[in-house]
Amino acid sequence: QVQLVESGGGLVQAGGSLRLSCVASGIIFSRYGMSWYRQAPGKQREWVATMTLYGSTNYAGSVKGRFTISRDNAKNSVYLQMNVLSPEDTAVYYCNVGVTGLNYWGQGTQVTVSS
């Protein structure tokens, strides 16, 4: 059973930083690319960043240069370092992995950025 558990969200002022974590279980973590998505109130869930199993990364244009995705295979964990946060980054952030054609999601962690 695949499980993803996010943590690290919270309330931060504009310009501040947060680091999100996601711990995966039920998979051989090193064999999968991992992604972060977010969903703001009243909006659709949107992709934020991906790190492949080979370590290459891709970012949405809105976060490129401010957010950094990383992983620690020994800890079955993926991280999202978020810098220079703005109120537009306020959302629930979700960890995601695709396994044999199925998408798995964590429960999400709330990030709120005050102006």
Side-chain angles (χ1 to χ4, degrees):
Q1 182 182 0
V2 180
Q3 287 191 321
L4 303 171
V5 179
E6 302 98 335
S7 62
L11 174 64
V12 63
Q13 288 189 332
S17 299
L18 281 175
R19 186 188 191 223
L20 307 183
S21 300
C22 170
V23 180
S25 60
I27 58 172
I28 301 174
F29 183 78
S30 61
R31 295 184 181 179
Y32 295 95
M34 300 296 297
S35 296
W36 286 96
Y37 286 73
R38 67 186 182 185
Q39 188 166 17
K43 294 187 177 181
Q44 289 189 329
R45 192 170 297 189
E46 65 173 357
W47 168 74
V48 174
T50 295
M51 176 170 265
T52 70
L53 65 111
Y54 304 110
S56 60
T57 58
N58 279 293
Y59 298 93
S62 59
V63 308
K64 199 168 187 178
R66 300 188 298 122
F67 291 11
T68 302
I69 188 171
S70 61
R71 65 191 294 160
D72 185 338
N73 288 341
K75 295 182 178 180
N76 284 7
S77 294
V78 61
Y79 308 99
L80 187 69
Q81 177 66 44
M82 306 185 296
N83 298 328
V84 195
L85 285 162
S86 73
E88 289 69 36
D89 296 315
T90 294
V92 178
Y93 284 72
Y94 297 92
C95 183
N96 167 268
V97 65
V99 180
T100 59
L102 296 177
N103 265 317
Y104 292 90
W105 303 90
Q107 83 287 351
T109 187
Q110 176 71 48
V111 172
T112 303
V113 185
S114 63
S115 56

